[in-house]
Amino acid sequence: MDAKSVGLQILGGERRVIDTFEVDGRLVVVTAPDASDGLSDRQIDVCRLAAAGHADKWIGFELGIARSTVATHLSAALERLGLSARTDLARVWPLLEARGDTRLMAI
């Protein structure tokens, strides 16, 4: 999801800003759909492992779920967080975990 479309969704009331901070000199804006109930426990588990650099196959093995299910959870979580790539998640997730915001960021 590009910045322009996220900005338009925020202005249109479809998304809301959860947090903003800088990572490597770039502004990161964490958003969520306005009606979001937050990330599920399983999405949080998948995000934590994906952010640590693990492949979908390994994550699936570790959590006892199919690789395709991992991909589905990760895709849904990235969409809810307004992130466009796994690399964005890898940069943002540790900062949010350190601050204790992994549940809050998707409320």
Side-chain angles (χ1 to χ4, degrees):
M1 182 175 299
D2 65 16
K4 182 179 177 181
S5 63
V6 170
L8 291 173
Q9 289 178 349
I10 291 169
L11 291 173
E14 299 169 43
R15 298 189 77 79
R16 62 184 169 191
V17 175
I18 303 300
D19 199 0
T20 61
F21 49 89
E22 283 192 39
V23 177
D24 299 331
R26 294 176 51 192
L27 178 65
V28 175
V29 179
V30 180
T31 67
D34 194 47
S36 173
D37 291 328
L39 297 180
S40 69
D41 289 340
R42 187 57 90 188
Q43 287 172 335
I44 290 172
D45 293 341
V46 168
C47 284
R48 183 173 291 121
L49 294 171
H54 298 294
D56 288 359
K57 185 175 183 178
W58 188 91
I59 294 170
F61 176 78
E62 184 70 17
L63 298 178
I65 58 178
R67 183 182 350 183
S68 60
T69 304
V70 171
T72 299
H73 284 311
L74 188 57
S75 177
L78 289 174
E79 177 69 23
R80 282 195 170 169
L81 298 173
L83 301 173
S84 59
R86 191 181 196 117
T87 54
D88 297 332
L89 180 67
R91 279 184 250 183
V92 170
W93 193 265
L95 298 172
L96 293 169
E97 265 194 329
R99 292 174 21 186
D101 289 345
T102 55
R103 180 66 67 179
L104 173 66
M105 67 184 182
I107 294 176

